[in-house]
Amino acid sequence: MQAVTEQSSVTQLELFFDLVLVFAFTQVDELAAHETTALNMLRAFLVLAIMWWVWIAYAWLGNVVKADEGIARLAMFGAMGAALIVAITIPEAFHDMPGGWYGPLVFALAYLFIRLVHLVMFWCASAQDPQLRGQVTRWAVGSITIGTTLLIIAALNHGTAQLWLWIAAVAGDMAWTLFSGNEWRVNSTSHFAERHGLIVIIALGESVVSIGVGVSGLPISWPITVGSILGLAVSGLLWWAYFDVGAAVVEEHLARASGPQQIKIARNCYTYWHFPMVVAIIAMSLGLKNVLEYVGGAEEHTLHDALHGIPLFALYGGAAGYLLALVGFRHYATRVVLWPRLAAAVVVLALIPLASILPAMAALALLCAVLGVLIAWETVRYAEPRDAVRHGTAH
């Protein structure tokens, strides 16, 4: 295995690995859209959490050893195959379909395989690093036991017991990772930040796909054209909110930190705060899909129909949740609170009652307007520091 250096960048194999996540995000969106109830939204959230843990594990591994060199390449392909099986089985994660293998157990066992491959690779990578070996050992004792064992037990249960076991598996895994120690390694801060930026791009890509899915098979018209552009604008504004300045600022603080503090920034800003970002974008994708179905006239909808219930909360709540996650992401690294984004998130949530009585396209336009005002205000108000960060003139 070849160690990652500070100058390393994301490998092509890691990008190839991410294609499974593209499919998985689509599957989660389909699961959520299949039955728009609070219980089903919880199921979709839990599945997304599992897929996030799959991705994040290999993001950390790929920052220690080069993913496309030696045995690491074979491990990545093996994990990718198992991750694909997990993604394919998402519709059966809680309820087995007639015929074939028992879906919930296949999901759990494929996930176990992914985690074991990851553990073995980290164990080998830490052979000459006693501190990292100790961290891997502490993490593995709880993480493998909690995260995978509970999921396997959940696969053999049904109803409320199954759901609580899923919740315990996800919560326990995340909590154990948080408290198991700060002796991991970040060999390349630029690779680490780039890797997480790419997963945000993938999630935003799912929001664009949802726009297309919402009008798939419908003849092009002015409502579809306008609705699609508004949806793309919302996704673009979310992209701007992350990549224009914020990502670079946090990456700089990550690079300047050292020891346990660097690991804390990497873990809390990226592993933890990026998760609600991805959840928020996927939730928003569900809302966008429904809006485009409305404006396209699918299922006898008209332009006058308003978006209600979970799709509306997913659209507006997703946008607000994304802004709040960005605030947390920036605050942990810099101790700076982005008050304009907090205010914008509150405004978005406060506008939900108004949006519920507006036509779906008008509700989407209103959301786009709020995000547009936020980005425009930040661009003008912080023009000088923004230019310093973007063009490397800061001291």
Side-chain angles (χ1 to χ4, degrees):
M1 291 186 291
Q2 184 175 331
V4 169
T5 64
E6 178 55 43
Q7 292 71 39
S8 298
S9 59
V10 175
T11 66
Q12 297 298 316
L13 181 54
E14 288 174 293
L15 296 177
F16 189 46
F17 182 90
D18 288 351
L19 294 179
V20 175
L21 269 294
V22 174
F23 174 56
F25 287 167
T26 300
Q27 287 281 77
V28 170
D29 226 16
E30 287 295 321
L31 176 63
H34 177 70
E35 181 185 342
T36 52
T37 64
L39 179 60
N40 200 50
M41 295 306 107
L42 176 59
R43 293 192 189 108
F45 169 80
L46 292 171
V47 170
L48 184 56
I50 291 296
M51 297 310 303
W52 175 255
W53 226 239
V54 168
W55 183 86
I56 207 69
Y58 286 85
W60 280 85
L61 177 63
N63 197 260
V64 174
V65 296
K66 278 188 168 293
D68 58 351
E69 295 289 343
I71 193 173
R73 175 182 291 193
L74 297 178
M76 288 290 288
F77 276 116
M80 187 177 179
L84 180 61
I85 299 303
V86 169
I88 290 172
T89 319
I90 284 174
E92 296 186 82
F94 292 89
H95 302 294
D96 183 48
M97 294 181 183
W101 291 342
Y102 184 63
L105 189 58
V106 172
F107 181 99
L109 291 177
Y111 179 62
L112 172 62
F113 180 82
I114 295 167
R115 297 297 296 272
L116 289 176
V117 170
H118 173 259
L119 175 60
V120 169
M121 290 304 299
F122 246 124
W123 185 263
C124 295
S126 62
Q128 306 302 319
D129 188 341
Q131 182 175 311
L132 180 58
R133 174 64 63 86
Q135 175 65 72
V136 171
T137 302
R138 286 193 304 275
W139 170 79
V141 167
S143 186
I144 297 296
T145 302
I146 297 171
T148 58
T149 303
L150 288 178
L151 208 59
I152 291 172
I153 297 172
L156 304 176
N157 282 270
H158 304 278
T160 304
Q162 181 192 56
L163 193 62
W164 279 111
L165 285 164
W166 265 78
I167 293 171
V170 171
D173 212 353
M174 288 190 170
W176 185 265
T177 298
L178 180 63
F179 297 113
S180 63
N182 302 312
E183 296 180 343
W184 295 101
R185 294 286 182 265
V186 177
N187 288 357
S188 172
T189 55
S190 59
H191 171 279
F192 199 79
E194 181 186 5
R195 197 81 183 89
H196 288 77
L198 288 170
I199 200 65
V200 174
I201 289 287
I202 289 172
L204 288 170
E206 175 58 26
S207 70
V208 176
V209 169
S210 294
I211 296 169
V213 170
V215 295
S216 178
L218 300 175
I220 190 67
S221 62
W222 77 261
I224 288 178
T225 301
V226 173
S228 298
I229 296 301
L230 284 172
L232 181 62
V234 167
S235 297
L237 289 166
L238 297 188
W239 175 92
W240 189 307
Y242 181 91
F243 287 100
D244 185 56
V245 169
V249 170
V250 175
E251 180 182 348
E252 181 184 352
H253 279 75
L254 176 66
R256 290 205 310 241
S258 60
Q261 181 58 24
Q262 186 180 65
I263 300 305
K264 288 179 181 179
I265 292 175
R267 184 190 61 210
N268 296 342
C269 289
Y270 291 92
T271 297
Y272 287 106
W273 276 115
H274 274 65
F275 176 55
M277 286 184 211
V278 170
V279 171
I281 295 170
I282 300 302
M284 197 189 70
S285 300
L286 174 64
L288 285 173
K289 179 182 177 183
N290 278 263
V291 170
L292 269 296
E293 288 176 348
Y294 277 44
V295 301
E299 299 180 3
E300 300 183 356
H301 287 295
T302 71
L303 279 175
H304 302 291
D305 289 344
L307 201 62
H308 293 292
I310 287 176
L312 176 61
F313 282 101
L315 179 64
Y316 272 63
Y322 181 80
L323 293 176
L324 292 173
L326 286 175
V327 172
F329 168 62
R330 182 78 167 268
H331 175 261
Y332 189 88
T334 67
R335 293 297 180 253
V336 172
V337 178
L338 301 177
W339 293 107
R341 296 189 177 189
L342 276 178
V346 171
V347 169
V348 168
L349 293 174
L351 286 174
I352 290 177
L354 173 60
S356 68
I357 62 175
L358 293 174
M361 187 185 292
L364 179 58
L366 179 62
L367 176 61
C368 186
V370 172
L371 295 175
V373 169
L374 169 66
I375 295 302
W377 191 89
E378 287 185 337
T379 302
V380 174
R381 175 65 178 81
Y382 303 113
E384 289 188 13
R386 173 179 178 270
D387 184 69
V389 171
R390 287 182 55 79
H391 301 106
T393 59
H395 296 288

